[in-house]
Amino acid sequence: MQTLYLVVPLAPLFGALVSGLLCMKISNRAAHTVTIACMVISTAAAAMVFSDVREGHTFNGALYTWLVSGTTHYEIGFLIDQLSATMMVIVTFVSLMVHIYTIGYMADDPGYNRFFSYISLFTFSMLMLVMSNNFLQLFFGWEAVGLVSYLLIGFWYTRPTAIYANLKAFLVNRVGDFGFLLGIALVLMYFGTLDYQSVFDNAKAGALAANTIELLPGQAWSLITVICILLFVGAMGKSAQFPLHVWLPDSMEGPTPISALIHAATMVTAGIFMVARMSPLFELSQTALSFVMVIGAITCFFMALIATVQYDIKRVVAYSTLSQLGYMTMALGASAYSVAIFHLMTHAFFKAVLFLGAGSVIIAMHHEQDMRKMGGLRKYLPITYLTMLIGALANAGFPPFAGFFSKDSIVEAVHEAHAAGVPGALFAYLAALGGVFVGGFYSFRLVFFAFHGKERFDTHAHAAPHGHGGAHGKHNHVPHESPWVVTLPLILLAIPSVCAGWVIGDFVYGNYFGDSIYVAENHEGLKRMAEAFHGVLPMILHSVSTLPFWLALAGAGLAWFIYIVRPDLPGVLRAKWGVLVTVLEQKYGFDRFNDWFFAGGARLLGNGLWKIGDVMVIDGLFVNGAARLVGWSSTVIRKVQSGYIYHYAFAMIIGILLLMSVWLFGAVYMYQ
């Protein structure tokens, strides 16, 4: 089976190398044929591994030793268990759908082969991350997805906004990765190994339970708490949690296929996966768990609010992703790791549908992304409309769609944490309920705004800007449905968006994850939820009597009233609540503050170092100052070298007098 394990990540890597290194030599058809064939192989191998793991066969071992330093071995290896096998299937399947979709979306883009190379390399990086059995390989995959995301977000490198977005994503993630690296360094320092199993076994045995570390003089913190929070800081960057969330909406500057791949199943879920994998550590620190829960709650609710004022169809879905990641993070903080991974799985499907559906709309609208210039599209794009409606229903959490089972389970898990007295759980529960209402509103605001109501688009002379994929030039016809390479992935992803949640019984409440996830005995919330669970159908029937269902329905109903019944109302509300709308449109001022404080501060510091350090000190004092000193000295000495004999005689007499004076005063001093 080890050969099969290697096939899963190496097949996309092979496709990336072929389409990348030979991008100028092979045709577009050859490039997508090779990369998609490799993705089919990888997906099939992942499915076989998943089936093998379900039969009880797991693997944890090193493939080779990369480096030996003293007694520490730095290895490359795989940990194949229920958690990693699930992630392998999700990543490869969604990536395969994105690869197929890309054929239609990037059809006439001059960087076609390069794009296929990047997304295959991105898939390889994510697979190496989820399959790792040690912190070294985890960090390799962690940084690799960050690097490739930088290349993909700035794929259209002639656009200043794309360059700004990829630089922003790269720098914000470096902030998170700094904490992540410090956490890994503490693990190595105190545990003496980077192997997951060794670290987890020692942690469960209480090897460092009493250890403390002084972050500030006189302030001792639990070592495990510090390690967990530092690791989670890395997750805050990768999974775009407050306040390191600012890069994710701007990543929409990349082509839509990569927006779907980053937001649905790969990069942004890496932090969620990592915390679940590190459950044996996080379960030892209630402080760290509460911190995780509160950060997730803030992200869930306040990012959902921003989605309600966005008009760019992709940015609405992007802020939806932020909110849904907040839900997953709350579940992690409530020790409901299986629920978090369950929502990660369902979210991967319905969010991919929403992103790829948005891309289909953008193609039909000749690369217009402003929903104010859409409306009434459902009769022109029936397949896209139906699949996006399914995605919206799942995203809002309506039964029996996939998102309902996972989102409701998260709300219940946070409620159980509150009942158990977990610090921060009440705030998280209220934020989760608020997020349900707002989620119902923004999900159906998108549907009603783009697909229903009055047609607001111009059917004449739609121009597709060069370098944005699709056909270029003028189009004098109404929108029409996308080609099959676009609609087929939408249909295939819409199916699990409906039914993926039906496996909740085994996935969440059964022993699906086995030993791959650890929950301490004193965290009994999930056990109480399992006792109250009686099957999928009873859960659906019971949902109509629960608060989340009615909140989601109220949100969807409000969207229908505002955008269908009273389309004039948004203007009225903006006039009355202009300040609130402005705050949301300005994204609470985070971007402006970051530009002023961090970017502006860096520029100010750079200018200061340049003007003071470089110009004044280095150039002015050392370089030019030394030259001026030599020049001044030369000028003084030159006056002494006059060429007149009487000047030299006078200088000699003065010199003799000085020497005699020194000798005389010295003799008198010695005599005394």
Side-chain angles (χ1 to χ4, degrees):
M1 288 297 290
Q2 290 188 36
T3 302
L4 195 61
Y5 300 154
L6 284 169
V7 168
V8 177
L10 293 184
L13 178 62
F14 177 78
L17 292 174
V18 170
S19 58
L21 297 179
L22 303 178
C23 65
M24 304 299 292
K25 303 293 184 182
I26 61 177
S27 65
N28 290 0
R29 185 183 183 87
H32 73 236
T33 299
V34 171
T35 51
I36 291 176
C38 289
M39 278 310 309
V40 170
I41 294 171
S42 179
T43 305
M48 294 171 65
V49 171
F50 178 80
S51 176
D52 187 59
V53 170
R54 291 291 288 159
E55 293 177 0
H57 304 130
T58 60
F59 174 81
N60 181 18
L63 300 179
Y64 65 92
T65 299
W66 178 68
L67 176 70
V68 177
S69 177
T71 59
T72 305
H73 287 67
Y74 300 91
E75 299 173 329
I76 302 300
F78 291 152
L79 172 56
I80 308 299
D81 58 11
Q82 295 86 341
L83 179 58
S84 56
T86 301
M87 290 297 298
M88 288 160 63
V89 170
I90 295 171
V91 170
T92 53
F93 176 72
V94 174
S95 180
L96 175 61
M97 295 299 102
V98 170
H99 274 71
I100 296 172
Y101 177 94
T102 300
I103 297 174
Y105 192 87
M106 303 292 287
D108 296 322
D109 195 281
Y112 188 88
N113 294 1
R114 178 166 58 94
F115 188 79
F116 271 97
S117 175
Y118 285 173
I119 58 176
S120 290
L121 185 61
F122 194 85
T123 306
F124 159 75
S125 303
M126 187 66 187
L127 288 169
M128 288 297 288
L129 188 156
V130 301
M131 296 172 68
S132 62
N133 75 336
N134 61 83
F135 286 91
L136 172 68
Q137 187 174 327
L138 172 70
F139 190 71
F140 163 75
W142 196 267
E143 293 303 308
V145 293
L147 172 62
V148 184
S149 69
Y150 169 83
L151 298 173
L152 284 163
I153 294 169
F155 181 79
W156 288 319
Y157 53 83
T158 56
R159 297 165 54 184
T161 52
I163 298 304
Y164 175 83
N166 74 346
L167 184 61
K168 184 177 183 180
F170 192 80
L171 292 177
V172 171
N173 272 278
R174 296 293 72 72
V175 175
D177 292 353
F178 179 69
F180 189 59
L181 190 57
L182 288 177
I184 294 175
L186 283 178
V187 168
L188 179 60
M189 179 178 178
Y190 285 95
F191 287 95
T193 179
L194 292 178
D195 180 71
Y196 287 164
Q197 199 59 53
S198 299
V199 172
F200 297 160
D201 289 343
N202 288 332
K204 291 177 185 178
L208 302 177
N211 285 43
T212 59
I213 184 172
E214 286 195 4
L215 299 180
L216 294 173
Q219 293 187 357
W221 282 58
S222 165
L223 177 63
I224 292 294
T225 297
V226 173
I227 289 174
C228 290
I229 291 178
L230 287 174
L231 291 175
F232 181 67
V233 168
M236 289 167 63
K238 277 291 181 289
S239 294
Q241 295 297 291
F242 168 88
L244 301 182
H245 64 279
V246 293
W247 68 270
L248 195 66
D250 287 343
S251 69
M252 295 300 97
E253 292 295 332
T256 298
I258 194 53
S259 298
L261 194 58
I262 289 177
H263 288 231
T266 53
M267 182 172 170
V268 295
T269 62
I272 307 301
F273 164 81
M274 184 273 293
V275 176
R277 175 62 81 195
M278 302 299 145
S279 57
L281 299 179
F282 279 84
E283 284 297 286
L284 299 177
S285 174
Q286 186 57 63
T287 302
L289 289 174
S290 292
F291 178 76
V292 170
M293 189 187 301
V294 170
I295 292 295
I298 294 172
T299 307
C300 166
F301 181 68
F302 290 99
M303 297 305 110
L305 287 176
I306 299 179
T308 64
V309 298
Q310 297 296 309
Y311 292 104
D312 185 315
I313 189 170
K314 285 175 64 177
R315 286 185 180 269
V316 174
V317 186
Y319 279 104
S320 167
T321 299
L322 284 172
S323 180
Q324 299 302 323
L325 288 167
Y327 274 108
M328 299 177 208
T329 305
M330 279 192 288
L332 296 172
S335 296
Y337 304 98
S338 60
V339 178
I341 299 300
F342 184 49
H343 193 52
L344 184 156
M345 178 188 72
T346 60
H347 174 263
F349 298 127
F350 66 73
K351 190 53 56 70
V353 166
L354 289 173
F355 267 116
L356 298 184
S360 179
V361 171
I362 293 168
I363 293 172
M365 296 300 296
H366 312 297
H367 299 274
E368 177 60 67
Q369 297 181 197
D370 193 335
M371 294 192 298
R372 290 170 292 190
K373 298 178 182 178
M374 298 179 188
L377 290 176
R378 71 184 188 279
K379 66 181 180 182
Y380 302 105
L381 310 170
I383 298 176
T384 300
Y385 168 68
L386 180 60
T387 54
M388 286 201 74
L389 179 61
I390 291 172
L393 288 165
N395 190 76
F398 283 106
F401 298 91
F404 155 72
F405 296 96
S406 54
K407 184 183 286 188
D408 268 35
S409 298
I410 291 174
V411 175
E412 185 60 29
V414 175
H415 181 260
E416 289 290 346
H418 167 55
V422 174
L426 176 58
F427 170 72
Y429 179 61
L430 295 176
L433 291 176
V436 171
F437 172 77
V438 180
F441 177 78
Y442 70 66
S443 297
F444 282 88
R445 173 180 178 267
L446 184 153
V447 172
F448 294 137
F449 213 172
F451 293 96
H452 291 262
K454 180 182 177 181
E455 296 178 3
R456 298 180 295 276
F457 51 86
D458 182 8
T459 58
H460 301 286
H462 293 288
H466 178 72
H468 287 210
H472 306 306
K474 297 289 185 180
H475 303 265
N476 296 306
H477 54 76
V478 296
H480 60 85
E481 189 61 88
S482 300
W484 72 267
V485 289
V486 172
T487 56
L488 178 62
L490 283 173
I491 294 170
L492 294 178
L493 286 165
I495 294 171
S497 297
V498 176
C499 60
W502 300 351
V503 299
I504 183 174
D506 184 40
F507 203 97
V508 174
Y509 302 119
N511 193 34
Y512 175 85
F513 287 105
D515 296 331
S516 61
I517 287 177
Y518 171 74
V519 179
E521 293 183 359
N522 59 317
H523 294 152
E524 298 181 343
L526 207 58
K527 293 180 181 178
R528 290 193 292 269
M529 291 171 60
E531 293 171 359
F533 178 76
H534 301 293
V536 171
L537 185 58
M539 185 176 178
I540 294 173
L541 296 176
H542 176 68
S543 67
V544 297
S545 64
T546 61
L547 189 57
F549 173 82
W550 292 105
L551 286 172
L553 189 62
L558 181 62
W560 171 78
F561 180 76
I562 291 178
Y563 293 100
I564 300 298
V565 179
R566 289 285 306 277
D568 62 308
L569 205 52
V572 176
L573 295 175
R574 175 178 286 273
K576 289 185 176 181
W577 297 345
V579 175
L580 177 60
V581 173
T582 301
V583 169
L584 294 177
E585 287 179 339
Q586 292 296 320
K587 309 159 194 173
Y588 308 113
F590 278 102
D591 283 340
R592 181 170 294 183
F593 174 78
N594 290 336
D595 285 340
W596 169 75
F597 185 78
F598 293 109
R603 287 192 294 268
L604 184 64
L605 178 62
N607 286 332
L609 292 174
W610 164 54
K611 291 180 179 178
I612 297 174
D614 194 24
V615 175
M616 292 180 61
V617 177
I618 297 175
D619 286 343
L621 181 60
F622 292 106
V623 179
N624 297 329
R628 284 193 294 268
L629 178 63
V630 171
W632 177 82
S633 303
S634 301
T635 301
V636 173
I637 296 172
R638 185 168 61 245
K639 294 183 181 298
V640 176
Q641 298 292 331
S642 63
Y644 295 107
I645 295 176
Y646 63 86
H647 284 175
Y648 301 151
F650 180 75
M652 292 172 66
I653 292 169
I654 295 298
I656 292 170
L657 286 174
L658 288 174
L659 288 172
M660 290 181 66
S661 298
V662 171
W663 176 79
L664 180 62
F665 283 116
V668 172
Y669 178 78
M670 290 290 292
Y671 179 75
Q672 291 177 345

